[in-house]
Amino acid sequence: MSRLEAKKPSFCKSEPLTSERVRATLCVLKGILTSSYGPSGRLKQLHNGLGGCVCTTSQSSALLANLSVTHPILKILTTSMQNHVSCFSDCGLFTAILCCNLIENDQRIGLMPTTVIKVNKHLLSLCTSYLQSEFCGCRILVDFSSTQTLLCLVRSIVTSKPACMLTRQEIDHISALILRAFLLTIPENTKDCLLLGKSIIVPLKGQRVTDSTVLPGILLEISEVQLMKILPIKKSDTFKVALFCASLSGDLSDTGEGTVVVSSGVSLENAVLDQLLNLGRQLVSDHIDLVICQKVVHPSLKQFLSMHRIIAIDRVGAALMEPLSKVTGTQPIGSLGSISPSSYGSVKDLCTEKFGFKHFLHLIPNEATICSLLLCNRNDTAWDELKLTCQTALHVLQLTIKEPSVLLGGGCTETHLAAYIRHKICNEPESILQDDGCTQTELQLLTEAFCSALESVAGSLEHDGGEILTDMKYGHFWSAQPESPSVVDWPDLLSRCGCGLYTSQEELHWSFLKSTRHPFVPQTCLPHEAVGSANNLTLDCFTAKLSGLQVAVETANLILDLSYIIEDKN
Amino acid sequence: MAAAGSAKVALRVAEVLETIVSCCVGPEGRQVLCTKPTGEVLISRDGGCLLEALHLEHPIARMMVACVSSHLRKTGDGAKTFIIFLCHLLRGLHAVTDKEQDSLISKNIQTHRRHWKNCCQWKFISQALLKFQTQVLDYIMGHYLSKHFLSIFSSSTKERTLCRSSLELLLEAYFCGRVGRNNQKFISQLMCDYFFKCMACESGCEEVFELVDDYFIELNVGVTGLPVSDSRIIAGLVLHRDFSVYCPADGDIRIVIVTETIQPPFSTSGSEFILNSEAQFRTSQFWIMERTKAIMKHLQSQNVKLLLSSVKQPDLVIYYAGLNGISVVECLSSEEVSLIQRVVGLSPFVLPYTSSRYETCNTALMNFCKPLILRSKRYVHLGLIGTCSFIPHCIVLCAPVQGLVEQHKSALHGAFKMLRQLFKDLDLNYMIQASDQNYASSPLTYKNSRESTPLPEIVNGSMQSPYQGTVVENKGKLATTQTYLKVYSNFVVPSVELETHIPRSIPKVTPTDTYQTDETLRYLSLARIVDDSEPFMESNSANSTTENTRIEISCENLQVTEIAGRGSMLAVREKSLEMCTSHGYCFSSIPAGCVLPVGGNFEFLLHYYLLNYAKKCHQSEETMVSVIIANALLGIPQILYKSKKGNYSFPQIYVRTLHAIQTHQPMVSSQTGLESVASKYQLLTSVLQCLTKILTIDLVINIKRQPQEVYDQDSEEEV
């Protein structure tokens, strides 16, 4: 019985953003996020004081999931970022840092929230329409006739996760594997809609990263004892497979809501076992080679099947059932009675394999979009990070298939976009001014806040105290070595811009990112030959970044719009 | 401990609430973040939600919140305005009484104002308020304000057609007060598109509102992590679960709904299944399998491609469904099932109890059935073909956080509630003094004057229907009646508005016609008849010389309305009916779809006419109450124009608007948008009722004891 207790009144607080405590906590969160950003980002070690494993990471998904924040405003911010990451897997830190920067900058200016939100919304729509337009100077259309762009995209993602602890060769190897795994999930002949398959990541910890591999079909892990029982597999063209989702354990199934009275001497278990053995006989007469069951198979049935040279694998679990039914090309069987011959599936080949210390039964399909990515890394934490990275990369590739374009990475998109917005607002401010009722000064202040928020996201890529610059022609991002002489010869000091598209040998002028400079027109319309020649670009997922930009601005607007917080402390 | 429950305390409480609420009012309003003890974070601008979240302790404050929530239940809108208006009223009252007391000291007391000094002064004021609410307000609404009303229907044709642009204006104004600033336009467009996509024909819009309001949760899908601008409308129905087995199918797709497991169980509840041998067990299992197989075969032969089940089906059923090319969706909620049933007019498939014969089962056709992936979660997407005036569509609501999705959901739901209210007529009834001959004789153009209502027909229709044995469902208000009706299924309630017409229909009722009705009704609740019938009998005997038997009948008729939950209303009206002979008694109504431009137009108009009325008034209390209410009304536009400067500041707007009303020019408004008159009117009456409630309390007694459970004595008697 529950005790009746009067509800305590809630705690109500006005203008939450102005409080010093909130600003301080926001600043701490921003510090955590910015320091983890990019390929040279610092790693964070998260460990729970009450136990559990230690997690070393620099990825937003792992970071935000493990951080526990208490203040409602931070909670809104982090859940918003987590939701973004679960939708797109990528660009989580970008979104979070941009959101923090925007809140901080707009708060510093101290204008009416109404004006801030209106202007931010307008600037956002300028950004999105520019990024989606044809003359956008930081977007590349993906050429599917070669794997170059896709490989660059995957490599950028793998490189940006330093907690995977990969060397350059390992990065190349893993990137190629991920791309191959993705290409194996694309069906060969498609009709009107493309239905991608699935890459199953199989863990193999404690091995060298270069031992990782991709195999078509499914790897079913089996114990050594099971392996001994499997007799040498006879060669044939196809192997017939029976895939069961019903339990073959011989337990009595649900008997309904009423009571079942069993006379003494009648053993239902016997009856069920008889039924199972009958099923076994049918399987033998149907020339089945492999029986796979989601649940448990009765030992007697297993014995019976192995006597007739049928391999029986049980307890594969619900998660593998869908890929298995795709590989074998059949629906799982839910009946213990007569099985119609049409519900048997088949695989092209069947073999046992050993990777590291694990034994696998390898099902090679005739034609299916399922593959297994056998992923190795030295230790648990690095493996977890690598797995997340692989999932991110595979997801990003899927998104890229849907929307075949990529954005320049390495901070270049951000600085280019900021330059474009500055120029646009400076030259044609009328579009906002007439319908929103804010003054020219307000608009300029807010634009500066927006652009510098974007630029400082790019600036967060540099962690070693180096100079961060932008060129005055393309608006790209450049970073220089820390100990630069006071009088500098920039072309010698800089080599390539952030995304790797341009070299410093062109006739360019640079300016510090933090300094004020005149708005200039960044060169729009990427030249086609420039993209083709450069083969080692840093690229970002278009869909994820675009949505991240929108989510960041929307979340910042939401937080800036808060006038009260009502905390229910019951 | 006791505390004085005066208006002063109430004013203090209301002022605190006002400061919180006023930051969210109007298009410039800001958001409030509410956290729940469970850790959920909610973003809201909805006044009702904020007041609930505050968990107020002060008894007066709790009473106010209770009043607000009961108002919200009725109309779904206006919580913030409620608090602001109430606060201004209390402030006005406070100022008046203060002045009175000052004048008492300084000047000689005027005799007719002496009673303000007494401790029961609040009671007089509250009575005056009640009188104002029941008599003056309706009169002013019906007589003066009505000529300013605009309609949401375009008036070019005889039949009323919904005007899209005015609906857009109405919705925009509504969402201005409900969702964040940067999403107002987008959400109102979305809602407008949704409504016009769902509506099959103009006449069915009430049905669409009703259906969407009832099944709103089933008709939208929330997706977090995407920008709000990704929200969209998709044709068909989206079920919040995945296929158990999916077989792609096209062409002639039929669906069937089941509410029980298709595989027959060994034993049903309450029965015993005796197993004597293993062979028997085997044969029964075999029989079960064969039966399942046969049923699925039968469904396939009926061209069924999709099986919707409200329960979990065993593996065997799923397997045979897959073999027969039937997709299966399991574990549908009862709301989803009833929505599908209503949309396509399909009843659940009843499993045949004999294995030999299967009749053709109930199936419905649909366009497509496919999986839908939103944010890597799979849903079932059904292209149902609606048979009623509702064409099924779903809203996908996207937002970065769940709290925002919830805000948009509740705002959309509230908008449908508001529209549902708007499309109903609202009755006004007021009394015109016999001395004001010109008012009484002036023709009420569109109002239902009581003589013109087609009364005899309704009476006949309602009383004959019991013999036909059909059940006519009373829409809306008679929810409670319906539950009774289920028990007495042969009994029928007429579908007319009982509370308006029955009192006047009594003399025409013949005893034989209603006899059966009485019989049934007497069972319903004997206890209530006694106390409720008394005012009625009095009025009846005053009105006409009816025989005893007729009075008896009228009692029973009253009972019908009592169940409908409008008993108290009726009693009030009866009293005024008595006065029919001496005064002109008017039934009028705010017709469906009446709107006014936003930006305080309603408040300005009412303010102006109330002041005018106050000048003509003879009684001092009435004058005072009218003036107080008139001034309090201005509080709302004051807040709306708070941040505006120059030409659009409040004093400027006020002067210009009043001038416009005086010179009969159209009023200027800086904002575009429309708002419903009926909801404004209802808000006003609710606030006045709340205020009278507050004023009648003179002492708050604090009891420090666990609340004891109160047994409802009436309910025991009814059982």
Side-chain angles (χ1 to χ4, degrees), chain A residues 14 54 58 62 94 100 105 152 163 184 198 206 211 220 268 301 330 357 390 392 416 418 439 450 478 480 486 501 564:
Chain A
S14 70
V54 175
S58 69
F94 163 78
C100 289
N105 289 356
C152 282
L184 279 173
K198 198 179 174 190
D211 288 344
L220 289 174
L268 295 186
L301 180 61
T330 170
F357 51 89
C390 286
T392 304
H416 179 86
T439 64
F450 189 89
W478 305 74
S486 51
L501 194 59
Y564 276 94

Side-chain angles (χ1 to χ4, degrees), chain B residues 448-462 496-497 500-502 504-505 508:
Chain B
N448 306 330
S449 69
R450 58 188 283 258
E451 282 77 23
S452 67
T453 47
L455 253 182
E457 286 172 39
I458 292 165
V459 172
N460 286 339
S462 64
V496 287
E497 289 193 4
T500 32
H501 300 301
I502 290 233
R504 282 172 284 122
S505 68
K508 292 165 193 157

Side-chain angles (χ1 to χ4, degrees), chain A residues 10 15 83 86-87 114 121 255 257 259 261 263 266 275 322 343 554 561-564 566-568 570, chain B residues 23 30-31 33 35 37 53-55 181-182 228 266-268 271 273 275-276 278 285 319 375 378 400:
Chain A
S10 299
E15 295 299 328
N83 288 336
S86 63
C87 276
T114 326
K121 197 186 173 198
T255 51
E257 285 168 346
T259 43
V261 179
S263 314
V266 176
Q275 199 184 6
E322 207 194 316
S343 42
E554 274 184 17
D561 202 15
L562 294 177
S563 67
Y564 276 94
I566 299 175
E567 274 183 90
D568 191 344
N570 283 303
Chain B
C23 75
R30 296 173 65 185
Q31 307 258 26
L33 191 72
T35 63
L54 280 170
H55 289 302
R181 222 160 318 176
N182 37 3
V228 176
F266 261 102
S267 55
T268 50
S271 73
F273 180 65
L275 274 174
N276 286 323
E278 287 161 28
Q285 270 198 328
Y319 172 60
R375 200 206 146 179
R378 277 194 277 194

Side-chain angles (χ1 to χ4, degrees), chain A residues 4 7-12 15 72-73 75-77 79-84 86-88 112-115 117-118 121 245-247 252-263 265-268 270-272 274-275 278 295 322 331-340 342-343 395 547 550-551 553-555 557-558 560-570, chain B residues 19-21 23-24 27-43 45 50 52-57 180-183 185-186 223-230 245-247 263 265-278 281-282 285 289-290 293 315-317 319-320 322-323 375-376 378 399-404 407 643 706-707:
Chain A
L4 265 180
K7 286 215 164 177
K8 287 193 276 304
S10 299
F11 181 74
C12 184
E15 295 299 328
I73 285 188
K75 220 181 252 173
I76 282 275
L77 210 158
T79 41
S80 169
M81 299 314 138
Q82 276 174 289
N83 288 336
H84 167 79
S86 63
C87 276
F88 296 100
M112 284 278 291
T114 326
T115 340
I117 289 166
K118 268 179 190 162
K121 197 186 173 198
C245 64
S247 166
L252 275 183
S253 54
D254 182 28
T255 51
E257 285 168 346
T259 43
V260 176
V261 179
V262 183
S263 314
V266 176
S267 160
L268 295 186
N270 259 339
V272 179
D274 278 353
Q275 199 184 6
N278 275 336
K295 293 163 187 167
E322 207 194 316
Q331 288 287 345
I333 302 163
S335 154
L336 304 186
S338 59
I339 299 165
S340 84
S342 64
S343 42
H395 193 183
S547 176
Q550 286 171 298
V551 165
V553 178
E554 274 184 17
T555 312
N557 277 349
L558 182 67
L560 287 168
D561 202 15
L562 294 177
S563 67
Y564 276 94
I565 292 183
I566 299 175
E567 274 183 90
D568 191 344
K569 299 260 185 178
N570 283 303
Chain B
T19 49
I20 296 177
V21 157
C23 75
C24 310
E28 304 281 299
R30 296 173 65 185
Q31 307 258 26
V32 172
L33 191 72
C34 303
T35 63
K36 289 202 177 147
T38 47
E40 281 170 278
V41 180
L42 198 73
I43 295 147
R45 287 185 62 193
L50 297 185
E52 293 281 341
L54 280 170
H55 289 302
L56 295 166
E57 235 178 356
R181 222 160 318 176
N182 37 3
N183 301 321
K185 223 184 185 106
F186 180 76
V223 180
T224 55
L226 295 177
V228 176
S229 51
D230 281 6
V245 57
Y246 175 61
C247 308
Q263 178 182 348
F266 261 102
S267 55
T268 50
S269 73
S271 73
E272 211 168 63
F273 180 65
I274 301 171
L275 274 174
N276 286 323
S277 67
E278 287 161 28
F281 175 69
R282 270 195 288 272
Q285 270 198 328
M289 212 167 65
E290 287 302 312
K293 213 180 191 173
D315 285 340
L316 193 68
V317 177
Y319 172 60
Y320 280 116
L323 280 185
R375 200 206 146 179
S376 59
R378 277 194 277 194
V401 280
Q402 185 63 32
L404 210 56
Q407 184 185 25
S643 63
Q706 282 290 316

